[in-house]
Amino acid sequence: RIIHAHTTDSLKMPPHEDVERKRRERVTLLNDTHACHICHSSCRRRTGNAAMNDGKMRTCPCFGNWKYALRVCEHCIADDELTGRIRQCGFCGTVACDEDCVEMVECTDLEDWNQAGCLECRSMESFREMDLFRSFAPSVESKCTRVCVECLESVTPWKDFSFKCRRFHCHRRIVPSDIVEMKKQRRSMSSPLAVLPDDSLDSILRFCDSVDLIRVYQTSSTLCRSAERVAQLIVKETRHLFPKGPVRY
């Protein structure tokens, strides 16, 4: 029985690598027809519904400048939420065609001191093989599988919660999923107070006591900076009321 060489190679490849190989083989035709690179359709039908897709697509930042740049429809992104085969930021929604397109941080179910490596080093095909991403309620928003470095730095401005994979020759950055989900609920525009100018926001926070100021500090990254700035001003204004020098007990 004769098996072609490319067929044998595809049998050895993981499914996501085989899909990427087929996408690159047909990328010219897909770009000419303005179709999605995953489902190969520009008008995909919704599951169980005769309504047609509105044709909304997402493209990676290098689309138009590189031959193998990615264009994907919203339905394929929704189907891939817990699989993670499409590189997508869970905060801003940016998609990437490869690791060099947009720097992404991979979410994991373990901590820095107890980590077992990234998804590839753990020989996992997708994020569904982790219990953390496999168990979820249908009414709850699915967990992020990846976050871009820009979004991660904006929600964790003082402490870097990410760490490198401990496998040899692997430098992929990883971040605990519970940190990402906590920051997802408290990112910059999660509070209506975050849209106020800094002067107006500082004037409002000056009326807060210490307990309320700590609560505001824990709300979001934007309010965290404002609460820290107000606390610094309060300390400067009231430090003359406290004794200076050594204190006698």
Side-chain angles (χ1 to χ4, degrees):
R1 188 176 180 181
I2 301 175
I3 302 178
H4 295 287
H6 70 275
T7 306
T8 308
D9 294 339
S10 63
L11 292 176
K12 295 179 181 179
M13 289 182 179
H16 61 282
E17 293 185 5
D18 190 33
V19 171
E20 177 64 17
R21 180 183 61 83
K22 293 179 180 179
R23 182 186 77 86
R24 294 198 175 194
E25 290 177 354
R26 302 186 57 183
V27 68
T28 304
L29 176 62
L30 294 173
N31 288 335
D32 293 339
T33 57
H34 303 284
C36 172
H37 290 186
I38 305 299
C39 64
H40 302 171
S41 175
S42 58
C43 55
R44 177 182 174 187
R45 292 184 181 273
R46 297 175 182 174
T47 304
N49 194 343
M52 301 296 288
N53 186 12
D54 52 7
K56 289 184 178 180
M57 300 279 182
R58 293 190 200 178
T59 58
C60 65
C62 59
F63 190 82
N65 299 323
W66 191 49
K67 179 180 179 181
Y68 299 113
L70 177 65
R71 177 173 59 213
V72 60
C73 66
E74 295 290 342
H75 285 288
C76 288
I77 294 175
D79 294 342
D80 189 70
E81 281 185 346
L82 295 179
T83 305
R85 293 173 181 170
I86 300 176
R87 299 178 182 274
Q88 177 199 190
C89 176
F91 283 7
C92 63
T94 302
V95 295
C97 55
D98 55 21
E99 294 182 354
D100 298 328
C101 180
V102 179
E103 188 178 0
M104 296 276 184
V105 182
E106 190 176 287
C107 300
T108 185
D109 56 344
L110 300 175
E111 299 292 340
D112 185 9
W113 57 272
N114 192 28
Q115 61 122 340
C118 62
L119 195 73
E120 183 178 353
C121 292
R122 294 167 72 174
S123 300
M124 291 184 176
E125 177 189 341
S126 66
F127 287 90
R128 285 184 182 271
E129 297 188 26
M130 300 183 190
D131 295 335
L132 179 67
F133 296 95
R134 186 166 54 243
S135 57
F136 70 99
S139 59
V140 180
E141 188 178 1
S142 59
K143 293 181 172 60
C144 300
T145 55
R146 292 183 180 90
V147 182
C148 67
V149 173
E150 184 177 354
C151 289
L152 184 64
E153 292 178 350
S154 64
V155 297
T156 57
W158 291 281
K159 182 178 180 181
D160 187 8
F161 292 94
S162 64
F163 49 90
K164 291 184 179 180
C165 175
R166 69 179 183 182
R167 301 289 179 175
F168 192 60
H169 289 314
C170 182
H171 301 287
R172 185 174 285 110
R173 293 178 63 184
I174 317 173
V175 64
S177 178
D178 56 346
I179 298 294
V180 173
E181 295 304 317
M182 181 184 66
K183 295 296 183 178
K184 184 179 180 180
Q185 303 299 327
R186 300 178 179 179
R187 58 186 185 268
S188 298
M189 305 307 294
S190 60
S191 173
L193 292 175
V195 300
L196 295 176
D198 292 340
D199 297 339
S200 302
L201 185 58
D202 292 349
S203 300
I204 295 174
L205 296 181
R206 290 293 296 270
F207 292 95
C208 297
D209 56 9
S210 59
V211 177
D212 292 335
L213 200 60
I214 293 175
R215 291 176 180 175
V216 173
Y217 181 88
Q218 297 174 346
T219 302
S220 69
S221 58
T222 302
L223 297 182
C224 175
R225 294 185 178 93
S226 300
E228 189 180 52
R229 184 168 56 248
V230 171
Q232 185 178 7
L233 292 175
I234 294 175
V235 170
K236 289 182 178 180
E237 293 176 357
T238 58
R239 63 183 178 182
H240 67 279
L241 301 176
F242 299 93
K244 298 180 180 179
V247 179
R248 299 178 64 181
Y249 293 95

